[in-house]
Amino acid sequence: MKAAVLKAPGVMELEDYPDPALPRGGALLEILACAVCGTDLKMLGAGHRDLELPRILGHEMVGRILDVDGDSSLAEGDRVQIWPGIACGRCRPCLRQADNLCPEIRIMGFNCDGGFAQLLALPRQSLSGGVNLLPSGADPCLAALAEPLACCINGQEQAAVSRTDRVLICGGGPIGALHALLAECRGCEKIIITERMPHRISLLRKHTGANVVNLAEDPGRAALREEIGSSGVDVILTATPQTRLDGKLLKLLSPGGRLCVFSGPAPGFRRGVVDFAAIHYNEISITGAYGCTSRQDQLAVELLTSGRIKADWLITRKTNLEGFSDAFSHSNERMGMKSVVCVS
Ligand SMILES: [Zn+2]
Ligand SMILES: [Zn+2]
């Protein structure tokens, strides 16, 4: 098969790669679409905690079942979205439905091969809960956005986002945009989103109900303070690694507020001083979110394919597998939003 293989930091090449074998109790998948994630860019540029090389990246995958080993409700030809985690199913996090926190988890596109390829082997574990059947007529490129949306569901569940909340989203890239759409879907009272790139700002203004603050403009900070008002926001979701995590950020929260450290903070942005007395008196909660559970992934597929969340506008570049580097540079330039590699 053809696959885009990451061989060393900065070196990814399309090459002939051995076809994966049908795993015992698993399935073989023909990839239809795989979206480029900020984490893929990070892995290409600088590596990642969970990355092992050489590796086929890609964890936002949709495909068509080619073959299944053993008994399964899946059949050849079924179109499915894949939860990229391979969890043990037996540990305490797995048993309390937090399978993204399984200490034995392997993640396709991180420490085993992912979706920027023609074929993918789905292990036995994936077939119990990690494969979501798409309704007929569903667009595979759109369904490829389910995994990042599921990660946002995780972040908003961690921060207990609800209808009465005023939410601040720091960063208006694809993840910030998905957070805004999800918060809207949850009926949040007010959604504020900060961004600097003009193309992204106009897309957000056109397609979301969020109040978009342009931080690159002169009165950016003042405009943000005005949007937040004197009472503060109930929830802050970080959707860029460049959000400075410190006491100043926490001061934007109203009493009872929640901060979700969603984006992995870049070095230099993660060592701020936090006033624990303020956390005590104001009952502030700080939480993190990494990846998504298989349950959240299934919910995301339902939200996208039913049209309850309209996210097709987020796809601003489509390429074939040969054009994967164009998809990566489109994402890297941050001019548009999301690139999807349509494999077949
Ligand atoms: Zn991702
Ligand atoms: Zn486990």
Side-chain angles (χ1 to χ4, degrees):
M1 67 168 177
K2 291 262 184 266
V5 184
L6 178 63
K7 304 175 135 182
V11 185
M12 192 154 79
E13 282 165 8
L14 191 72
E15 58 180 48
D16 289 313
Y17 202 77
D19 285 358
L22 175 64
R24 185 181 291 243
L28 205 59
L29 192 74
E30 174 193 19
I31 298 287
L32 296 175
C34 188
V36 178
C37 172
T39 313
D40 295 319
L41 299 172
K42 184 173 165 183
M43 288 195 281
L44 174 61
H48 185 276
R49 189 193 72 173
D50 294 332
L51 176 68
E52 294 164 19
L53 297 177
R55 178 67 56 231
I56 301 171
L57 302 184
H59 56 273
E60 303 180 354
M61 302 168 284
V62 169
R64 185 187 289 120
I65 300 286
L66 283 181
D67 202 358
V68 187
D69 180 57
D71 272 351
S72 167
S73 55
L74 291 170
E76 189 189 330
D78 283 347
R79 297 186 317 148
V80 292
Q81 184 273 353
I82 305 299
W83 177 64
I86 305 165
C88 79
R90 299 178 305 269
C91 67
R92 292 185 71 226
C94 279
L95 293 176
R96 65 177 171 91
Q97 286 205 317
D99 44 15
N100 62 322
L101 299 179
C102 173
E104 286 175 36
I105 197 168
R106 291 162 56 72
I107 307 169
M108 296 173 212
F110 289 69
N111 36 32
C112 55
D113 282 336
F116 295 119
Q118 290 176 310
L119 300 172
L120 180 81
L122 285 177
R124 175 186 50 79
Q125 296 95 313
S126 292
L127 268 51
S128 43
V131 172
N132 300 301
L133 199 60
L134 298 187
S136 63
D139 172 10
C141 291
L142 183 64
L145 304 189
E147 194 274 345
L149 176 61
C151 295
C152 296
I153 294 174
N154 186 28
Q156 296 200 15
E157 285 185 2
Q158 298 298 331
V161 174
S162 73
R163 257 188 20 216
T164 50
D165 283 334
R166 295 152 53 94
V167 178
L168 169 63
I169 301 163
C170 304
I175 283 294
L178 285 169
H179 267 306
L181 294 174
L182 182 63
E184 230 177 304
C185 184
R186 288 177 172 236
C188 290
E189 196 179 293
K190 182 170 189 176
I191 304 161
I192 307 163
I193 186 162
T194 59
E195 178 50 36
R196 292 171 179 277
M197 304 293 283
H199 291 82
R200 288 185 164 178
I201 288 168
S202 41
L203 282 170
L204 290 164
R205 287 193 172 137
K206 188 167 171 204
H207 297 285
T208 76
N211 297 11
V212 188
V213 175
N214 183 348
L215 284 184
E217 260 170 19
D218 188 21
R221 290 276 154 202
L224 179 60
R225 271 195 300 277
E226 194 165 311
E227 281 294 347
I228 290 173
S230 54
S231 54
V233 290
D234 304 293
V235 175
I236 299 175
L237 301 157
T238 70
T240 157
Q242 272 93 29
T243 308
R244 199 164 289 284
L245 299 164
D246 57 13
K248 259 194 194 162
L249 187 69
L250 292 184
K251 277 199 180 132
L252 303 179
L253 286 172
S254 59
R258 288 91 69 200
L259 163 68
C260 177
V261 182
F262 182 90
S263 283
F269 290 85
R270 48 174 91 149
R271 290 192 191 278
V273 176
V274 170
D275 178 357
F276 283 94
I279 289 183
H280 163 75
Y281 286 115
N282 294 316
E283 299 190 356
I284 299 297
S285 307
I286 303 178
T287 179
Y290 180 57
C292 58
T293 69
S294 52
R295 174 188 61 78
Q296 290 157 346
D297 191 65
Q298 186 184 4
L299 176 59
V301 172
E302 284 163 21
L303 287 172
L304 285 174
T305 56
S306 65
R308 282 176 62 202
I309 285 186
K310 291 194 189 347
D312 48 343
W313 60 273
L314 273 173
I315 302 173
T316 47
R317 180 66 54 90
K318 283 185 190 178
T319 74
N320 54 18
L321 187 56
E322 284 70 26
F324 79 90
S325 61
D326 178 42
F328 271 68
S329 30
H330 179 71
S331 288
N332 207 21
E333 283 158 9
R334 305 191 314 171
M335 298 292 274
M337 286 285 184
K338 198 87 178 156
S339 313
V340 181
V341 176
C342 308
V343 181
S344 52

